[in-house]
Amino acid sequence: MEPETDRVLIFDTTLRDGEQSPGISLNASEKLEIAQQLARLGVDVIEAGFPITSPGDFEAVQGIARTVEGPVIAALARTHAADVEAAWGAIQDAERPRIHTFISTSDIHIVHQLQTTREDVLGQARAAVALARSHTEDVEFSPMDATRSEVEFTAEVVAVAIAEGASTINIPDTVGYTMPHEFEAWLRRLYELVPALRDVTLSVHCHDDLGLAVANSFAGILAGARQVECAINGLGERAGNASLEEIVMLLATRSADIGLRTGVHTHELARTSRLVSRLTGYVVQPNKAIVGRNAFAHESGIHQDGVLKERTTYEIMDARSVGLEANSIVLGKHSGRHALRQALEELGFDVSGQVLNTAFKRFKEIADRKKVVTAMDLEALLTDELREEEVAGYVLESYAVHASSAEPPHASVAVRLPGGELGRGEFSGDGPIDSVFRAINAATGVDAALREFRVGAVTEGQDALGEVSVVIETAGHSAAGQGVAPDIIEAAARAYVRALSIARRRAERPHDSLTRIAGELASTP
Ligand code: KIV
Ligand code: ZN
């Protein structure tokens, strides 16, 4: 990819580094749905996964490579030949495939994790880039833990990678340790040590352990980086990666001063954030910059007064520019299937057949209890419905809770089990939600424990749809689930049942995770 001087490429790693966030496990169709939305958002590169880690990830990356048009589709690979071949196998059908290979250059990693020598690292980097280059011209190389590495040694490895044909050099702050001024100086020194770096795209990949991922990425841009690796909602290992929406809106809002641009369609940001949040079960904190519920809310009287007189008194961005006004579509209880389908199409969902039938049934249930159904409601509902289709496993058929002031609440539920039979369970617990969750445990025969529970509302107002996220743990597997419904208990029950299905899938496919290769990381190819 030819670097344009005023254009910053956005490399989205939500589906790779983001998917490494604890508790997240997306199946192939969820990943595809996110990838399609990322393409709609206008990112330049989608890092779709790490194909060697599991057959499930290989298939998911392959599905994205074969379907998603527009962005470059990248796959991650260690320097092992088998990794590079797996990455290529998964992405070779993409319109624009990229192999992204990496190896650590810090002595901490070389000595303790890889248990090898600098010389060997240099050789592995050379061989991996050469092998990747035999498959495609678009090869990215990352010296992992670069910011804790000696810049002179990293420069040697980077020079070799460029000589072998890498077209992007990505500098990761793997453990989120660096500081903006230090990172900028480090990169400027790298440019001095490797003149050929000017002929390729310099990229940065920053983690947020000290809350500096966006600041460090921006420092990288100031030093000359023209690709930023980031993730929606800042997802990623541990504290996460640089948040895509923050980087993009920083460059857009301060473009007059920075003079750089991205190709992102910013009005798709809020929607992408909501989709990723729903499918991963990772709730966006209300005060999260750009996409948080309160990012454009004014509480103090002075601020409200100012904004009413002139929006720019207290707002540096227009909420509409990130798509936060997405409530234009309104349906009511008399709207028919055709109107629903049209509204969903406007929102970018192309649904038909069984999904449309179920969505229509649930729309009617909601429209009976809610005066108007907005675009945000439909989006929440549909994401919820699609998830129901995809997370095959347990399905909540019915629930009822009887509460009186004299006795603890009593819940009875019916859950369709994976084999098709109906499981029934009852429980009297500490509260209605506790009773429902334990009744679901009884119905499914799964002994799950609730680890996290969050309640939110899709829109404002007393009749808003409730949205519940849970994280459960069962037999050593944690799993997140979300549910949407007019009734908060129903939303909670749906979220819990979904989390159980995901945990079940994990237990059935224990190799669908990075842990499979963790033990091998020390070995050399
Ligand atoms: O954080 C990191 O170093 C990575 C690399 C694989 C780029 O994710
Ligand atoms: Zn990373």
Side-chain angles (χ1 to χ4, degrees):
M1 195 178 293
E2 232 0 73
E4 290 174 46
T5 47
D6 71 336
R7 175 85 145 76
V8 176
L9 302 173
I10 297 296
F11 176 116
D12 179 276
T13 187
T14 309
L15 296 174
R16 200 279 296 167
D17 213 316
E19 223 239 350
Q20 288 170 219
S21 310
I24 294 184
S25 158
L26 298 165
N27 66 26
S29 58
E30 290 160 350
K31 281 187 139 198
L32 182 59
E33 198 186 338
I34 292 177
Q36 268 156 343
Q37 177 57 26
L38 289 171
R40 207 175 290 134
L41 178 65
V43 306
D44 298 283
V45 186
I46 295 174
E47 187 165 50
F50 194 173
I52 191 77
T53 57
S54 70
D57 209 44
F58 183 98
E59 283 160 29
V61 176
Q62 191 171 55
I64 292 169
R66 288 181 174 170
T67 319
V68 178
E69 290 170 6
V72 168
I73 307 297
L76 188 66
R78 293 169 297 176
T79 47
H80 297 204
D83 283 43
V84 175
E85 294 300 350
W88 178 243
I91 55 163
Q92 60 184 332
D93 296 334
E95 230 177 27
R96 298 155 73 202
R98 173 180 298 185
I99 298 174
H100 175 192
T101 185
F102 71 98
I103 189 163
S104 296
T105 50
S106 73
D107 288 330
I108 305 179
H109 283 205
I110 295 173
V111 172
H112 300 291
Q113 186 175 22
L114 300 177
Q115 297 176 350
T116 186
T117 59
R118 285 185 174 193
E119 202 186 353
D120 181 48
V121 164
L122 202 66
Q124 287 197 46
R126 188 194 307 278
V129 173
L131 179 58
R133 203 52 179 70
S134 71
H135 294 306
T136 170
E137 285 186 356
D138 193 345
V139 175
E140 173 168 332
F141 173 75
S142 294
M144 187 150 101
D145 204 20
T147 53
R148 292 193 302 166
S149 309
E150 195 184 275
V151 68
E152 286 76 12
F153 175 60
T154 310
E156 255 185 84
V157 180
V158 162
V160 161
I162 296 173
E164 291 299 332
S167 45
T168 301
I169 295 295
N170 175 51
I171 302 299
D173 180 30
T174 302
V175 290
Y177 181 72
T178 198
M179 295 178 282
H181 67 287
E182 187 183 49
F183 193 39
E184 189 179 342
W186 196 98
L187 293 170
R188 289 191 189 282
R189 180 77 187 122
L190 191 67
Y191 266 121
E192 282 168 11
L193 293 168
V194 190
L197 196 52
R198 306 222 163 263
D199 304 331
V200 301
T201 303
L202 175 66
S203 167
V204 286
H205 173 114
C206 300
H207 279 270
D208 209 30
D209 299 64
L210 291 172
L212 290 172
V214 171
N216 284 331
S217 304
F218 184 55
I221 291 172
L222 295 180
R226 289 296 176 267
Q227 176 179 287
V228 177
E229 302 201 353
C230 41
I232 298 294
N233 299 338
L235 293 181
E237 280 277 3
R238 306 178 312 280
N241 285 92
S243 140
L244 182 149
E245 54 279 6
E246 292 176 24
I247 284 285
V248 165
M249 288 313 289
L250 166 63
L251 295 179
T253 308
R254 302 299 306 270
S255 64
D257 303 290
I258 304 169
L260 298 173
R261 64 192 176 88
T262 71
V264 168
H265 309 304
T266 60
H267 55 272
E268 289 287 339
L269 282 171
R271 178 168 171 202
T272 314
S273 160
R274 290 193 295 267
L275 177 72
V276 168
S277 169
R278 286 198 176 105
L279 294 186
T280 58
Y282 265 52
V283 175
V284 174
Q285 73 191 57
N287 59 332
K288 163 86 176 60
I290 317 297
V291 292
R293 183 177 296 264
N294 297 342
F296 294 85
H298 301 279
E299 186 70 18
S300 104
I302 295 178
H303 288 209
Q304 285 175 354
D305 174 59
V307 169
L308 284 174
K309 287 175 177 149
E310 165 55 43
R311 188 186 62 76
T312 55
T313 50
Y314 290 94
E315 282 185 5
I316 58 165
M317 293 165 274
D318 187 333
R320 284 170 301 186
S321 68
V322 301
L324 272 175
E325 88 301 5
N327 255 335
S328 47
I329 299 170
V330 174
L331 297 177
K333 69 175 176 186
H334 299 299
S335 307
R337 188 183 299 261
H338 182 65
L340 175 69
R341 190 175 183 170
Q342 232 175 2
L344 292 175
E345 265 169 23
E346 246 179 83
L347 287 170
F349 294 105
D350 183 14
V351 291
S352 54
Q354 193 48 39
V355 178
L356 180 62
N357 291 345
T358 347
F360 187 64
K361 189 168 153 258
R362 288 208 61 207
F363 160 70
K364 281 289 180 194
E365 284 163 19
I366 287 168
D368 273 346
R369 292 154 80 173
K370 207 173 175 294
K371 260 191 255 135
V372 290
V373 179
T374 66
M376 292 240 297
D377 292 328
L378 288 180
E379 190 188 282
L381 179 73
L382 207 80
T383 315
D384 198 51
E385 256 349 294
L386 287 176
R387 197 151 168 78
E388 193 84 23
E389 292 285 302
E390 301 307 336
V391 186
Y394 303 104
V395 178
L396 179 72
E397 292 286 345
S398 65
Y399 77 98
V401 181
H402 297 282
S404 75
S405 50
E407 289 167 11
H410 182 81
S412 36
V413 304
V415 177
R416 184 74 52 199
L417 304 178
E421 63 280 29
L422 201 62
R424 292 185 188 278
E426 309 214 354
F427 202 85
S428 292
D430 288 339
I433 289 183
D434 178 55
S435 306
V436 168
F437 288 175
R438 288 169 188 256
I440 293 172
N441 280 359
T444 56
V446 180
D447 187 20
L450 184 68
R451 291 286 173 247
E452 277 177 42
F453 179 77
R454 286 203 195 90
V455 185
V458 172
T459 50
E460 281 158 16
Q462 289 207 334
D463 64 351
L465 286 184
E467 190 165 21
V468 171
S469 310
V470 300
V471 177
I472 59 154
E473 201 174 304
T474 168
H477 296 276
S478 69
Q482 275 198 324
V484 174
D487 181 290
I488 219 68
I489 299 178
E490 182 185 338
R494 285 178 172 276
Y496 194 84
V497 166
R498 253 169 226 152
L500 283 184
S501 299
I502 291 168
R504 180 175 168 274
R505 188 174 74 210
R506 288 238 175 100
E508 277 180 356
R509 302 185 75 169
H511 298 307
D512 271 14
S513 99
L514 283 180
T515 48
R516 182 173 156 256
I517 63 163
E520 295 171 27
L521 273 169
S523 64
T524 50

